[in-house]
Amino acid sequence: EFAGTIHSSGNDLLSLINDILDLSKIESGTVTLDPADVSFDEICDNVERNFRHIADAKGLGFEVLPGAGLPPAIYTDGKRLQQVLKNLLSNAFKFTERGKVTLSMAPATRGWSFDHNVLGRAKQVIAFSVADTGIGIAPEKQRIVFEAFQQADGSTSRRYGGTGLGLAISREIAAMLGGEITLVSTPGEGSAFTLYLPVRYTSPERALREPPPPVPGTRTTGSSAHAAPAEPRPIPVPPAPENTGGKRAVQTQVPDDLGNLQPGDRVLLIVEDDVKFAKTLLTKAREKGFKGVVALRGETALSLAAELQPEAITLDINLPDIDGWTILDRLKANAGTRHIPVHIITVEEERARGLQRGAVEFLMKPVSRTSLDEVLGAIAEYRGRPKRLLVVEDNEAERKSIVDLIGNGDVEITTAGSGEEALETLKSAHFDCMVLDLMLPGISGIDVIERIREEKEVRDLPVIIYTGKDLTAADRGRLDKLTRSIVVKDVRSPERLLDETALFLHRMTSAMPEEKRKMIEKLYQPETALAGKNILIVDDDVRNIFALTSLLERYKVKVLSAENGKAAIETLKKHPEVHAVLMDVMMPEMDGYEATRAIRKIPQFKILPIIALTAKAMKGDREKCIEAGASDYIAKPINTEQLLSLLRVWLYR
């Protein structure tokens, strides 16, 4: 099965590459034609051999009709003629569900453009017409289907795949052979593409003895030898990739301190693609006693973070290669970089999302110099002071067990036995994190969180809920609203509690006692984190479902699948025990956006983790996915480690 999937995908890729190469060679004028006599019997046999089995498999009628008056052969490039017919017939079968496809060949006296230079002078013209009873093409789409990478339906919910190159290539080949392709179509009834070729190909020089003068800036429908020269187009030159080879990397855009680091230096890693703002951050960092290293791309940032172990990281979300949220997830999912405090500085208004994922600070651009001074001052001060944790638990034995679990010399732990005591304690001292039980005497845990939300000084305090109480739908609803402004984690096991406090206190796992280090390491083994979970994969390409299923089943995940949005909703209704959904965006009938919105309208799935998967990694796609209701976003081709990391993050919210 793996070999079959690889072979099928490889053939698709090869076909795409061949199409792109064909188009580029045609447009550059480097295609050499090899004309010869091609018999119509040979054409009929070739078409029958290639398409009869397709017709049988789809239950369609298929007729090849050589008309009366045909000469024995046509003098043209047989390989190119067959390529055009193959493209036209492939499209006809793809877009036809019932009825028939017909290829007819006959002499023609009209049908092409009245001013066509070659066909108008030809002794005889042959028409190759491919007609189908398929979906047809709307009048406003009939021109664009001949343009490269254009399709009649280019939406994310399109039913039929393809690259949109076949007709563009066919049109260019037809022009090279001295002919033309026309289209007649009625939506819902079918289409007819007709290729007109001269019965005898002649070189452009001989065919066009008196060519009309070319009109500047336009392209004639005849031979490219007499076409007006196209306006030269600038070729975009991609920026040179940064060297990600460790400390020896050279980044000429920003003269940072990468080549001047010494043991013991306080290093701030600045992840920012705006060179001007990166220089501002670098100057401020040096003023606070740091050596600054600038990464203009995400992959560089991940490499430098692992190698340099900086004291802190400033992170922009909008980067050219990797989404900043992905970088944050990968930093926090890696035991070697999880402890590094990350300060997000971006234009995006998603403060709660950043803090919930482990960022220590969130600043919106534009940032004032005062705010930068405060943030960098806090970074400079952070290493020199102990990490402070407040534990709020009314049960003395439980309280002591939490202190024993988390305490290790580098954390100062203060305890409180009630909500009132916790609120008073917060007024008198600064804390980096709080562990809170919901079942407290007097003020409940949820009421404590709501009080904290109202206080500006502590509203960003990470709150980890550690309780044995089963949360009701009403409790969940109140907590969901609170997570918009403060961080709330719901954890049950001691291992998860230790891990979450280590995240928000920015503790180095490697510095913990071996027993506690192993507790956290076990959590990050996919076999432990994902075992027993139910995940629904929604994708219209069965190869993608197969590949993802094969990956997840290694970690003892139970996988369900659906091939479109409607099927996904039906599957969820039958299996409400699903823990997460991997949702493809481009699917027939109901795309991923529409399916996600529909799922969110079902009350029991309002907080179900939905991770959008898309090959359209364009600017704004992540925002569109989140707006539709997706919990997160990952671009294809999918990075396995990143996907597993995202699933771990969302399955333990």
Side-chain angles (χ1 to χ4, degrees), residues 483-504:
T483 57
R484 295 175 187 171
S485 57
I486 66 173
V487 178
V488 179
K489 293 285 186 177
D490 176 16
V491 296
R492 298 297 179 95
S493 70
E495 295 85 358
R496 184 64 56 183
L497 176 61
L498 178 62
D499 178 54
E500 293 295 347
T501 55
L503 171 65
F504 290 108

Side-chain angles (χ1 to χ4, degrees), residues 17-28:
I17 292 171
N18 284 337
D19 283 348
I20 293 173
L21 288 174
D22 274 343
L23 193 60
S24 64
K25 285 191 291 184
I26 290 168
E27 291 185 342
S28 65

Side-chain angles (χ1 to χ4, degrees), residues 558-569:
K558 181 181 177 183
V559 177
L560 301 172
S561 65
E563 294 188 21
N564 59 58
K566 290 182 179 178
I569 294 169

